[in-house]
Amino acid sequence: MKKTVFLGALTVAGLAAGAAAAGTLDDVKARGKLNCGVTTGLVGFAAPDANGEWHGFDVAVCRAVAAAVLGDPTAVEFVPTTGKTRFTALGSGEVDMLARNTTWTLSRDVDLKFTFVGINYYDGQGFMVPKALGVSSAKELNGATVCIQTGTTTELNLADFFRKNNISYEPVPIETNAEGQQQYLAGACDTYTTDISGLAATRATFENPADHVVLPEVVSKEPLGPLVRHGDDEWADVTRWTLNALIAAEEMGITSANVKEMASAPGSNPEINRILGTEGNLGEMLGLSADWAVNAISAGGNYGEIFARNIGENTPIGLARGLNAQWTDGGLLYSPPFR
Amino acid sequence: MATVSEPPKEAFRLSQLIYDTRYRSMTIQIVALVAFLILIGWLISNTAQNLADLGKEPSFRFLGESAGYDINQRLIDYNNQDSHMRAAVVGILNTLLVAILGCATATILGVIIGVARLSKNWLVGRLMTIYVEIFRNVPVLLWIVFIMAILIETLPPPNAFRGDDPDATMKLFDTVAITNRGVYIPDPVFGADAKDEKGEFLEEPVGWRVGLGDFPIGASRDNPACESYYATEGPGAGEPAASCGTFQVSLDLLLVLAVLVSGFYASHRIKRRADRIQEATGLRPVTWYLRLGVVVLPFAITLWALGFYFAYPELRGFNFQGGTHMRNSLIALWLALSLYTAAFIAEIVRAGILAISHGQTEAAAALGLRPKRIMNLVILPQALRVIIPPLISMWLNLTKNSSLAIAVGYMDITGTLMGITLNQTGRELETVLLGMLIYLTISLIISAVMNWYNRSVKLVER
Ligand SMILES: N[C@@H](CCC(=O)N[C@@H](CS)C(=O)NCC(=O)O)C(=O)O
């Protein structure tokens, strides 16, 4: 232990992780609390309300994991991270998992040594401009000043997009979404670019959202999902299957309203029984209690409920399910079988 | 004749290392040094081991890979296909730029304020006290963010300059545009006869004042960007494109600087001659027009012959084009660092002046010197000796504080190497170590130069 204390002092936070990498599940159980890295504030995805309580689409994943592991969806310590600090926070062991609209890329998976446990939002990068600018396509943005969050895939996609189309731009690097919003609204940049879901969420907080449009071009694939440190497969399994449980629950019609009742006795659908722990021992295999999925689903409902409540069409953010519909509805959500 | 009798040579015994005061201190130092080195070695091997366990062996190979991101303020050519190494160099140059601008401004301001604070004028003295107290008692990070916020929120965006009856207009006879994206100032350029009004090369130069152009260091014929440099005809023949070579030197600028330096040297010689004549004859010849002439005339003629002109900023598309763009991030950082550090320098200057005894002033006055001359010729030169050492520390501080650039998105070395490169490659240890090394080097150079200067102005004592 002394070793790691010393190391932490000598090297950058983030390198001492070696010793702490294994056994995250046990650490979380012993601590009685899950440390979950989220954004510094993106309404709909992760933002604290007036009482300091965190809400959002990504927050719901943290809460589901906490519920599955500890039986308590409130046993979460939310750690706000910027695009730049998030990986150091995860790598150093400051957080047990990241749920921070983070794009799954090869280099993050392989070179930065993280494990993406799934995808909770299929997204793409877009551009938002004020309507008054009179721009209808991103290709007309030659010479424009563009606000981007540093340390994101956004930054690299942007460079690629402008290079591919042989047009120039002036990047204005910013640290957090709040800063980006300030600069964009003050007209210090012509356009703000990030994941389209993020643009929708940002625009929803504007005074006059209707004055701004998201341009039609989607310049990249941004599969967003939770991630954990590389090399702790047990913990990766727990988070992966908690997310799968939320997705499978929607597919099988398990909701926060009926989950208690369905779990009280084995029903006629064996897969539902296996998920809810009334049949088989999937929970035990994961090192969790038999009712882990019941707890996870009770925390905030199934995937569909979480989506609808935080970012769905009836919220100010108003995102359609699109690619994020169940595979049975023509979307891409497809949980592997629970058996 | 006195003979010195040698004391009998004692054989060295090991116990002397501990009991003999002549050796003891050395023993302790060596033991401490060895222990320290062992500790460092242990920490390094531990770090390497932990990184290896993570599967992230330290490696600097990433420096050669393509960076993939763009940087807005570049003093040398850079695009997202260049290496992380080059991105780091762009960052270093940006750090140096703001450090030099900041140190110069802070010193000038600091000296003025420090002197003014001692002013007999009650109002001026009090105002300066207020300045010093306000600026040095609020953290510099807040000043940086505050100035940035003011620039962004209060200045007009470029599109406010558009239209027949625009909300905002350019200042200083339409030569300077002040916007919330930065200040656009006229850009000095050479080669008037070879360029059109947008600064593009003409098919054929319209005169002979085409300038000397840029010289690319490390140009090669294989590089497509160098095509025009090796071409003998066509627009811009002999002129390298921006990305040709490792970096480019403006021959025009070099020539102009050379002419200026020789002008000053000639002027200096004229002054020396006048001094000699004055010493010999007691009469000083009038030389000001000669001295002015040898500096200004060749300078002006060179500028004219090289086709020197100003490219004015002009609203084109989304932004002002042409001219030099001083971004808000640079201005905010520069202003905040200078204003903040100036408060400290003012105190140093005041302390330096107060350290010179009042007798010096009186003695100078008795010789008939006027107050301004007393300050410039008697007090300040002596005060300088007290001022220089703490001034070096302030400059070092300013340079290191420039790493707060990150707060306003100024792309210095913390923004490029230790920011985006770190984040995109995940090489924390390597980038931070490199960054520390770079700051260390910059600081050591500053203090070496200043210490050298300090020695040269030091009182020579017996
Ligand atoms: N998906 C991209 C970008 C993620 C990102 O930074 N998104 C922004 C805007 S959607 C965000 O969440 N900002 C919140 C904050 O500033 O904390 C990535 O993984 O690199």
Side-chain angles (χ1 to χ4, degrees):
Chain A
M1 209 54 238
K2 215 171 167 188
K3 263 186 178 176
T4 44
V5 172
F6 255 113
L7 259 182
L10 176 75
T11 62
V12 200
L15 297 173
T24 310
L25 180 58
D26 295 332
D27 287 351
V28 172
K29 281 181 178 165
R31 203 188 304 130
K33 214 160 200 174
L34 171 75
N35 293 335
C36 197
V38 290
T39 67
T40 56
L42 183 65
V43 175
F45 283 87
D49 64 11
N51 304 320
E53 217 172 301
W54 287 80
H55 294 284
F57 187 72
D58 280 337
V59 164
V61 176
C62 301
R63 292 207 189 277
V65 172
V69 176
L70 304 165
D72 179 3
T74 60
V76 193
E77 176 85 30
F78 291 99
V79 179
T81 57
T82 67
K84 257 160 119 176
T85 59
R86 58 183 153 173
F87 297 128
T88 316
L90 181 59
S92 66
E94 191 188 338
V95 297
D96 304 310
M97 63 180 285
L98 263 188
R100 191 205 172 280
N101 37 36
T102 299
T103 306
W104 186 348
T105 68
L106 184 140
S107 61
R108 285 173 178 178
D109 200 335
V110 178
D111 196 33
L112 270 63
K113 306 289 176 200
F114 296 118
T115 298
F116 283 81
V117 299
I119 294 169
N120 69 339
Y121 195 95
Y122 289 88
D123 207 346
Q125 182 178 337
F127 293 88
M128 175 163 64
V129 292
K131 264 197 188 132
L133 199 64
V135 169
S136 58
S137 152
K139 297 204 172 106
E140 293 167 23
L141 288 173
N142 192 5
T145 303
V146 185
C147 276
I148 28 158
Q149 281 199 47
T150 56
T152 59
T153 48
T154 319
E155 194 165 45
L156 307 179
N157 298 330
L158 181 72
D160 285 352
F161 174 77
F162 278 83
R163 179 156 62 98
K164 206 162 63 196
N165 289 295
N166 205 9
I167 49 181
S168 68
Y169 70 105
E170 154 100 9
V172 174
I174 46 161
E175 204 74 357
T176 64
N177 197 52
E179 250 177 76
Q181 188 168 329
Q182 183 209 1
Q183 297 230 16
Y184 171 76
L185 287 178
C189 34
D190 295 304
T191 170
Y192 183 35
T193 179
T194 183
D195 304 335
I196 289 179
S197 64
L199 290 180
T202 308
R203 186 174 58 170
T205 63
F206 288 177
E207 224 166 280
N208 299 312
D211 291 350
H212 303 268
V213 279
V214 175
L215 298 177
E217 282 88 355
V218 178
V219 302
S220 67
K221 286 193 289 189
E222 305 286 330
L224 311 178
L227 59 155
V228 298
R229 276 182 297 279
H230 184 97
D232 188 353
D233 293 346
E234 201 189 10
W235 177 242
D237 287 341
V238 168
T239 45
R240 175 176 303 120
W241 285 96
T242 306
L243 177 61
N244 284 338
L246 298 179
I247 295 173
E250 184 187 21
E251 184 185 340
M252 291 170 204
I254 313 173
T255 66
S256 54
N258 65 17
V259 60
K260 282 273 147 49
E261 186 200 318
M262 284 173 116
S264 57
S268 56
N269 184 333
E271 184 154 19
I272 295 183
N273 294 345
R274 282 193 297 269
I275 296 178
L276 298 181
T278 50
E279 206 179 302
N281 57 347
L282 297 185
E284 195 188 319
M285 289 179 195
L286 285 167
L288 302 173
S289 62
D291 60 354
W292 65 281
V294 179
N295 292 335
I297 297 165
S298 317
N302 63 35
Y303 181 89
E305 290 175 83
I306 294 174
F307 193 104
R309 192 174 56 246
N310 292 303
I311 54 178
E313 277 171 322
N314 293 327
T315 65
I317 297 170
L319 290 168
R321 283 294 287 266
L323 288 178
N324 297 294
Q326 291 287 337
W327 63 287
T328 44
D329 298 334
L332 292 176
L333 290 188
Y334 183 104
S335 161
F338 279 71
R339 69 165 62 250
Chain B
M1 198 175 81
T3 54
V4 179
S5 64
E6 290 270 316
K9 265 235 163 75
E10 256 183 79
F12 178 78
R13 277 167 292 114
L14 264 182
S15 60
Q16 275 181 304
L17 285 179
I18 299 176
Y19 296 115
D20 191 323
T21 44
R22 279 174 299 170
Y23 300 112
R24 189 170 14 186
S25 68
M26 215 185 304
T27 317
I28 295 175
Q29 286 183 41
I30 290 178
V31 169
L33 181 69
V34 170
F36 182 68
L37 287 181
I38 290 177
L39 182 72
I40 298 265
W42 175 68
L43 287 175
I44 291 178
S45 82
N46 229 315
T47 311
Q49 181 60 45
N50 270 332
L51 283 170
D53 288 351
L54 266 176
K56 288 169 87 169
E57 286 87 358
S59 142
F60 287 93
R61 269 216 313 268
F62 70 94
L63 282 176
E65 284 156 20
S66 151
Y69 59 90
D70 286 298
I71 301 176
N72 47 16
Q73 179 179 303
R74 311 171 287 259
L75 297 184
I76 55 171
D77 186 70
Y78 165 88
N79 67 52
N80 59 50
Q81 293 306 292
D82 285 323
S83 65
H84 282 292
M85 178 79 145
R86 197 167 172 94
V89 173
V90 173
I92 294 175
L93 291 177
N94 285 346
T95 294
L96 290 178
L97 175 74
V98 77
I100 292 172
L101 287 177
C103 286
T105 317
T107 310
I108 297 172
L109 270 182
V111 171
I112 296 175
I113 294 165
V115 172
R117 202 179 161 185
L118 291 170
S119 159
K120 299 228 170 54
N121 183 321
W122 186 87
L123 187 64
V124 172
R126 276 324 114 95
L127 279 178
M128 294 305 140
T129 310
I130 293 175
Y131 173 93
V132 167
E133 295 305 337
I134 287 185
F135 274 94
R136 69 173 182 180
N137 288 315
V138 175
V140 65
L141 179 61
L142 295 190
W143 282 119
I144 298 175
V145 176
F146 177 65
I147 295 183
M148 184 71 172
I150 291 188
L151 291 176
I152 290 178
E153 297 293 344
T154 60
L155 295 175
N159 59 23
F161 290 78
R162 226 184 290 278
D164 293 330
D165 183 25
D167 299 337
T169 51
M170 289 172 69
K171 305 283 177 305
L172 290 178
F173 309 107
D174 273 2
T175 58
V176 174
I178 301 174
T179 76
N180 68 353
R181 294 178 191 175
V183 177
Y184 297 77
I185 55 172
D187 190 17
V189 248
F190 296 95
D193 287 353
K195 293 175 190 165
D196 63 13
E197 62 269 29
K198 278 189 179 171
E200 305 285 339
F201 283 107
L202 295 168
E203 199 65 40
E204 271 301 319
V206 295
W208 59 273
R209 298 187 307 134
V210 293
L212 300 176
D214 296 332
F215 178 73
I217 309 274
S220 88
R221 281 179 191 277
D222 305 335
N223 186 348
C226 296
E227 211 175 291
S228 65
Y229 178 61
Y230 292 110
T232 45
E233 52 194 53
E239 272 293 309
S243 52
C244 171
T246 315
F247 64 95
Q248 302 181 352
V249 192
S250 165
L251 297 178
D252 301 299
L253 190 65
L254 281 187
L255 182 66
V256 169
L257 286 179
V259 168
L260 255 189
V261 169
S262 2
F264 278 116
Y265 181 69
S267 149
H268 180 71
R269 291 297 293 269
I270 297 175
K271 172 176 179 276
R272 294 280 290 277
R273 196 179 130 257
D275 288 348
R276 271 200 312 276
I277 297 178
Q278 185 177 15
E279 256 156 52
T281 65
L283 290 175
R284 192 179 180 83
V286 182
T287 55
W288 67 264
Y289 54 91
L290 268 183
R291 292 188 62 190
L292 196 67
V294 291
V295 175
V296 172
L297 268 187
F299 178 64
I301 292 175
T302 318
L303 283 187
W304 177 78
L306 291 175
F308 177 84
Y309 68 103
F310 280 107
Y312 295 109
E314 187 191 347
L315 190 56
R316 246 182 276 145
F318 294 97
N319 281 307
F320 280 90
Q321 314 279 334
T324 298
H325 181 189
M326 300 209 302
R327 289 173 182 77
N328 273 340
S329 49
L330 170 68
I331 299 177
L333 191 65
W334 174 20
L335 267 187
L337 287 176
S338 327
L339 293 177
Y340 176 80
T341 312
F344 291 87
I345 294 182
E347 286 300 89
I348 293 172
V349 170
R350 189 169 70 105
I353 294 174
L354 289 179
I356 309 304
S357 89
H358 193 57
Q360 295 282 326
T361 316
E362 287 169 349
L367 287 176
L369 291 179
R370 273 169 275 132
K372 219 177 121 207
R373 302 208 110 196
I374 297 178
M375 187 49 104
N376 286 341
L377 295 176
V378 178
I379 307 299
L380 273 184
Q382 295 189 70
L384 223 48
R385 301 199 177 103
V386 185
I387 293 172
I388 297 279
L391 185 66
I392 304 177
S393 311
M394 288 332 296
W395 285 7
L396 293 177
N397 260 347
L398 189 146
T399 308
K400 286 175 291 169
N401 282 344
S402 73
S403 60
L404 293 170
I406 205 90
V408 283
Y410 179 74
M411 295 309 261
D412 71 339
I413 186 69
T414 31
T416 59
L417 177 69
M418 291 191 279
I420 304 180
T421 293
L422 183 156
N423 205 259
Q424 302 289 11
T425 63
R427 299 272 161 205
E428 293 97 345
L429 182 75
E430 295 88 334
T431 49
V432 173
L433 277 182
L434 265 183
M436 285 161 58
L437 203 68
I438 291 167
Y439 275 111
L440 187 67
T441 314
I442 297 178
S443 296
L444 285 180
I445 292 176
I446 296 180
S447 58
V449 170
M450 289 305 290
N451 282 331
W452 168 81
Y453 177 71
N454 188 31
R455 265 197 302 281
S456 70
V457 298
K458 214 166 64 180
L459 259 190
V460 187
E461 288 166 356
R462 273 168 295 148

XYZ file of all heavy atoms in Angstrom, chain A residues 39-42 81 86 100-103 108 149 151-154 175-177 192 194-195 198 222 224, ligand 1:
214
model
N -20.415 13.444 -16.665
C -20.011 14.738 -17.228
C -20.047 15.800 -16.137
O -20.558 15.565 -15.043
C -20.960 15.214 -18.335
O -22.215 15.492 -17.724
C -21.123 14.186 -19.416
N -19.537 16.979 -16.471
C -19.633 18.079 -15.521
C -21.026 18.691 -15.541
O -21.332 19.563 -14.743
C -18.630 19.189 -15.856
O -18.873 19.605 -17.205
C -17.206 18.708 -15.751
N -21.839 18.230 -16.462
C -23.195 18.733 -16.509
C -23.701 18.832 -17.927
O -23.289 19.714 -18.680
N -24.550 17.894 -18.321
C -25.171 17.927 -19.632
C -26.594 17.454 -19.376
O -26.834 16.270 -19.152
C -24.426 16.985 -20.591
C -24.912 16.952 -22.020
C -24.694 18.301 -22.681
C -24.194 15.873 -22.805
N -16.395 14.726 -14.553
C -15.122 14.720 -15.286
C -15.296 15.486 -16.593
O -16.377 15.492 -17.170
C -14.693 13.285 -15.636
O -15.727 12.662 -16.404
C -14.424 12.458 -14.406
N -11.459 12.603 -17.846
C -12.199 11.369 -17.575
C -11.320 10.132 -17.590
O -11.461 9.263 -16.734
C -13.337 11.220 -18.589
C -12.872 11.202 -20.020
C -14.032 11.134 -21.001
N -13.612 11.748 -22.265
C -14.335 11.724 -23.353
N -15.502 11.137 -23.359
N -13.893 12.298 -24.453
N -20.141 8.461 -19.399
C -19.991 9.887 -19.714
C -19.949 10.065 -21.207
O -18.905 10.358 -21.754
C -18.682 10.398 -19.105
C -18.567 11.909 -19.150
C -17.146 12.353 -19.142
N -17.063 13.781 -19.386
C -17.145 14.314 -20.607
N -17.282 13.563 -21.669
N -17.077 15.623 -20.748
N -21.083 9.839 -21.861
C -21.153 9.795 -23.327
C -19.789 9.697 -24.004
O -19.360 10.590 -24.700
C -22.004 10.927 -23.927
C -21.847 12.221 -23.157
O -20.745 12.515 -22.685
N -22.913 12.972 -23.031
N -19.161 8.581 -23.756
C -17.820 8.346 -24.275
C -17.857 7.379 -25.456
O -18.489 6.332 -25.383
C -16.921 7.792 -23.164
O -16.854 8.746 -22.127
C -15.530 7.504 -23.680
N -17.202 7.794 -26.524
C -17.231 7.010 -27.752
C -16.269 5.830 -27.678
O -15.134 5.975 -27.248
C -16.824 7.905 -28.934
O -17.658 9.054 -28.929
C -16.969 7.166 -30.243
N -8.895 3.835 -27.721
C -9.256 3.918 -26.309
C -9.341 2.522 -25.710
O -8.954 2.288 -24.569
C -10.608 4.626 -26.164
C -10.487 6.115 -26.373
C -11.832 6.784 -26.392
N -11.685 8.235 -26.545
C -12.707 9.065 -26.636
N -13.943 8.594 -26.614
N -12.505 10.354 -26.770
N -14.929 20.694 -27.767
C -14.372 20.279 -26.478
C -13.081 19.540 -26.738
O -13.038 18.632 -27.560
C -15.349 19.366 -25.765
C -16.455 20.125 -25.093
C -17.136 19.284 -24.032
O -16.507 18.653 -23.213
N -18.452 19.292 -24.061
N -9.934 16.998 -26.080
C -9.820 15.666 -25.508
C -10.950 14.748 -25.915
O -11.240 13.778 -25.241
N -11.608 15.089 -27.014
C -12.725 14.268 -27.460
C -12.453 13.718 -28.850
O -11.549 14.165 -29.551
C -14.015 15.100 -27.537
O -13.785 16.168 -28.461
C -14.396 15.672 -26.208
N -13.263 12.747 -29.232
C -13.184 12.257 -30.607
C -13.644 13.360 -31.552
O -13.219 13.431 -32.693
C -14.114 11.049 -30.791
O -15.379 11.373 -30.243
C -13.566 9.829 -30.100
N -14.530 14.217 -31.042
C -15.074 15.328 -31.810
C -13.994 16.130 -32.518
O -14.096 16.493 -33.692
C -15.806 16.278 -30.846
O -16.528 15.510 -29.907
C -16.715 17.194 -31.571
N -13.161 23.573 -22.604
C -12.963 22.484 -21.640
C -14.268 21.762 -21.321
O -14.312 20.552 -21.269
C -12.362 23.109 -20.384
C -11.581 22.183 -19.535
C -10.220 21.829 -20.114
O -9.867 22.248 -21.235
O -9.516 21.105 -19.453
N -15.335 22.523 -21.107
C -16.590 21.883 -20.728
C -17.720 22.376 -21.626
O -17.601 23.384 -22.305
C -16.989 22.215 -19.275
O -17.236 23.623 -19.212
C -15.914 21.844 -18.301
N -18.819 21.632 -21.559
C -19.976 21.969 -22.360
C -20.511 23.356 -21.994
O -20.938 24.116 -22.872
C -21.041 20.896 -22.119
C -22.100 20.904 -23.170
O -21.798 20.861 -24.346
N -23.336 21.006 -22.744
N -21.137 25.145 -33.048
C -20.695 24.281 -31.953
C -20.845 22.860 -32.443
O -21.879 22.502 -33.001
C -21.567 24.545 -30.722
C -21.164 23.764 -29.486
C -19.821 23.478 -29.216
C -22.112 23.301 -28.575
C -19.454 22.775 -28.090
C -21.756 22.601 -27.438
C -20.423 22.335 -27.208
O -20.055 21.630 -26.079
N -20.468 18.713 -31.578
C -20.254 17.594 -30.657
C -21.244 16.499 -31.063
O -21.831 16.551 -32.146
C -20.423 18.023 -29.187
O -20.121 16.905 -28.357
C -21.797 18.551 -28.877
N -21.418 15.500 -30.201
C -22.374 14.437 -30.512
C -23.763 15.057 -30.671
O -24.106 15.975 -29.926
C -22.409 13.425 -29.374
C -21.031 12.855 -29.093
O -20.204 12.855 -30.019
O -20.793 12.425 -27.958
N -25.710 15.385 -27.640
C -25.218 16.469 -26.793
C -25.701 17.814 -27.288
O -26.029 18.710 -26.503
N -20.582 7.647 -33.456
C -20.205 7.834 -32.052
C -20.995 6.846 -31.197
O -22.005 7.200 -30.601
C -20.506 9.262 -31.592
C -19.892 10.367 -32.412
C -18.399 10.529 -32.201
O -17.895 10.239 -31.098
O -17.712 10.913 -33.170
N -21.748 5.503 -27.997
C -21.425 5.925 -26.639
C -21.755 4.806 -25.659
O -22.814 4.176 -25.765
C -22.229 7.177 -26.271
C -22.211 8.314 -27.287
C -23.086 9.468 -26.799
C -20.797 8.781 -27.553
N -18.304 11.261 -27.582
C -17.193 12.142 -27.582
C -17.496 13.490 -26.951
C -18.016 13.370 -25.564
C -18.252 14.742 -24.908
O -17.339 15.339 -24.353
N -19.455 15.266 -24.969
C -19.731 16.567 -24.447
C -20.854 17.224 -25.184
S -22.099 16.089 -25.629
C -20.072 16.472 -22.977
O -20.563 15.482 -22.535
N -19.818 17.527 -22.214
C -20.187 17.573 -20.837
C -19.153 18.256 -19.999
O -18.634 19.248 -20.438
O -18.831 17.755 -18.921
C -16.025 11.479 -26.927
O -16.226 10.429 -26.302
O -14.913 11.935 -27.052
